[in-house]
Amino acid sequence: MSVNRIRRRNLLVLLSFILVLVMAACENAGNGGVSGNADVPEAAPSPSSAVDGAGGDADADMTEKPVKIGFAMDTLVEERWLKDRDLFRESVEALGAEVEISASNGDDAVQIMQAESMISAGIDLLVIVPHNAEATAAIVKKAHSSGVKVIAYDRLVKNAEIDLYVSFDNVRVGELQAQAITKLVPKGKYVYIGGAETDNNAHLFKDGVFNVLQPMIDSGDITVVYDQWTTDWTPANARANMEEALRANNNQIDAVIAANDATAGGVIAALEAQGLAGRIPVAGQDADLAAAQRIVGGTQTMTVYKPIHTLTLKAAELAVMMAKGEIPDTDRKVNNGKIEVPSVLLAPISVDKSNMDATIIADGFHAKEDVYRHAESE
């Protein structure tokens, strides 16, 4: 055998040996570094091994980010909005999504800036509690230009192509207030202390109240001697309104309907200063703890309970669904001045001393010891 042939044979043997080593090393690496005959799960295919884009979808599933919801709130000053914030966050996170929350403390410019910041940061859907029903139309326009849908939470955004409205039947809230008070005072001088004129809900509450009062006004049984909005819903402004109503009528007032429990608190403070608290029926709504305490204590007649846990859960479910591209099935529409907005409206509940335990307390909205603590200490 020639020297050249021997050299070629040795080179082939060497190359074969190297090839065996390389193949063994690759097999060992593919098995996660485990040698022998142990059963090892087959390694997931790399994106580059995909055919016709199938691997691309798998890779997208592996790296898919959770849905992110923005919640742009008006205020956290009132007790109920703290509950909305906390319960909404819990509901969204329970659905596997993320939530970013802001509160503008009643400043339209701040609310718009906060919403725009969330949109720019890449939220998938915006839920908004508008401070000003008209001004927040700019937020809806900005969101839509960025491909982000918008849900109006509890308060309607006016003159905007809002995608969904989730709230309670707020006209019904006002009707429940008026029905409760007119049952006690079918004739006499009435005072209406409204909410913030910039809040569309305040108008809906008032519509409901006057749906009930108007026939009695027309018959002459009821006279509304004072009717005023309350700037920013604050108890101090509501008290000032009630003080003015008392002065103008020489304290001769028979009943008061206040747009919510915070304004009712201001009304009752004004009545207390004149020794009239507990003698003049007062209606509110929101089922605030202080209102529940006033009801069992006898200075507030009733409130309207809107189960916030139901609202937050429903809003969270719809927000996550829509953020994923799904279209919710709704059977109600509310006109906001521009379009008929698809709406989900939940039922409110009238609450007084007789059904406090069966509603607010039974639902765990307030603890019984908290509601009755003040009354028991007197």
Side-chain angles (χ1 to χ4, degrees):
M1 182 180 297
S2 68
V3 174
N4 287 338
R5 290 183 63 188
I6 293 173
R7 286 177 178 173
R8 283 198 298 271
R9 185 182 64 183
N10 291 342
L11 181 60
L12 289 172
V13 171
L14 179 60
L15 291 173
S16 298
F17 180 68
I18 292 172
L19 181 60
V20 169
L21 289 177
V22 170
M23 292 176 65
C26 291
E27 182 178 357
N28 191 43
N31 288 333
V34 180
S35 59
N37 295 322
D39 291 331
V40 180
E42 187 175 308
S46 66
S48 60
S49 67
V51 178
D52 293 334
D57 291 341
D59 186 59
D61 291 341
M62 292 171 63
T63 60
E64 183 180 357
K65 294 180 180 179
V67 164
K68 190 168 186 177
I69 307 298
F71 192 27
M73 303 185 70
D74 166 26
T75 180
L76 292 174
V77 173
E78 294 174 26
E79 173 192 315
R80 72 145 291 187
W81 294 113
L82 293 170
K83 289 180 178 288
D84 286 82
R85 178 196 63 186
D86 296 342
L87 290 170
F88 184 77
R89 177 190 286 120
E90 290 174 12
S91 298
V92 169
E93 291 177 349
L95 293 167
E98 296 178 352
V99 62
E100 181 178 343
I101 300 174
S102 66
S104 64
N105 296 319
D107 189 314
D108 294 335
V110 170
Q111 186 166 47
I112 292 171
M113 179 188 67
Q114 290 173 336
E116 288 181 342
S117 177
M118 287 191 280
I119 293 166
S120 298
I123 58 170
D124 298 294
L125 182 136
L126 178 66
V127 179
I128 186 166
V129 183
H131 170 254
N132 185 310
E134 298 281 353
T136 43
I139 295 175
V140 179
K141 186 175 182 179
K142 169 69 174 178
H144 284 174
S145 68
S146 300
V148 175
K149 291 186 177 180
V150 183
I151 296 176
Y153 177 96
D154 199 50
R155 297 175 181 173
L156 187 62
V157 177
K158 299 295 292 295
N159 296 313
E161 295 184 356
I162 200 82
D163 297 288
L164 185 69
Y165 173 45
V166 185
S167 184
F168 289 91
D169 186 336
N170 292 308
V171 172
R172 183 60 182 154
V173 168
E175 290 173 347
L176 291 174
Q177 290 180 302
Q179 287 168 357
I181 299 301
T182 55
K183 185 176 181 180
L184 296 173
V185 185
K187 297 182 179 182
K189 294 181 178 181
Y190 271 60
V191 167
Y192 184 72
I193 303 296
E197 189 174 10
T198 56
D199 182 347
N200 187 67
N201 276 10
H203 293 266
L204 297 177
F205 298 146
K206 186 174 182 178
D207 288 347
V209 167
F210 280 85
N211 283 348
V212 176
L213 295 187
Q214 197 60 52
M216 300 178 188
I217 294 170
D218 293 341
S219 70
D221 288 338
I222 287 176
T223 302
V224 177
V225 297
Y226 187 87
D227 176 358
Q228 188 58 262
W229 301 109
T230 301
T231 304
D232 291 332
W233 291 94
T234 64
N237 290 334
R239 177 173 182 168
N241 283 339
M242 190 63 208
E243 289 171 345
E244 184 180 342
L246 289 167
R247 283 194 301 270
N249 292 277
N250 196 28
N251 285 0
Q252 300 303 304
I253 302 296
D254 297 302
V256 182
I257 299 175
N260 72 348
D261 288 335
T263 52
V267 165
I268 291 167
L271 293 176
E272 285 175 341
Q274 299 297 318
L276 297 173
R279 294 169 56 187
I280 297 176
V282 178
Q285 65 99 6
D286 272 344
D288 286 351
L289 177 58
Q293 292 171 337
R294 291 193 296 264
I295 289 170
V296 299
T299 57
Q300 184 169 327
T301 308
M302 62 85 68
T303 187
V304 179
Y305 172 43
K306 300 181 295 186
I308 294 173
H309 65 279
T310 303
L311 175 64
T312 53
L313 179 59
K314 189 66 177 177
E317 290 175 346
L318 291 167
V320 173
M321 176 191 303
M322 291 173 64
K324 293 180 177 179
E326 300 176 43
I327 300 175
D329 183 20
T330 60
D331 58 359
R332 300 281 297 272
K333 290 185 182 296
V334 174
N335 189 290
N336 74 344
K338 187 168 187 177
I339 65 168
E340 295 291 329
V341 183
S343 303
V344 174
L345 303 179
L346 307 174
I349 302 167
S350 180
V351 175
D352 57 24
K353 193 172 182 178
S354 69
N355 67 341
M356 179 75 67
D357 289 8
T359 53
I360 292 171
I361 292 171
D363 279 0
F365 191 71
H366 296 308
K368 185 171 185 177
E369 57 269 25
D370 292 335
V371 170
Y372 288 92
R373 181 183 296 136
H374 181 68
E376 291 171 354
S377 66
E378 293 180 340

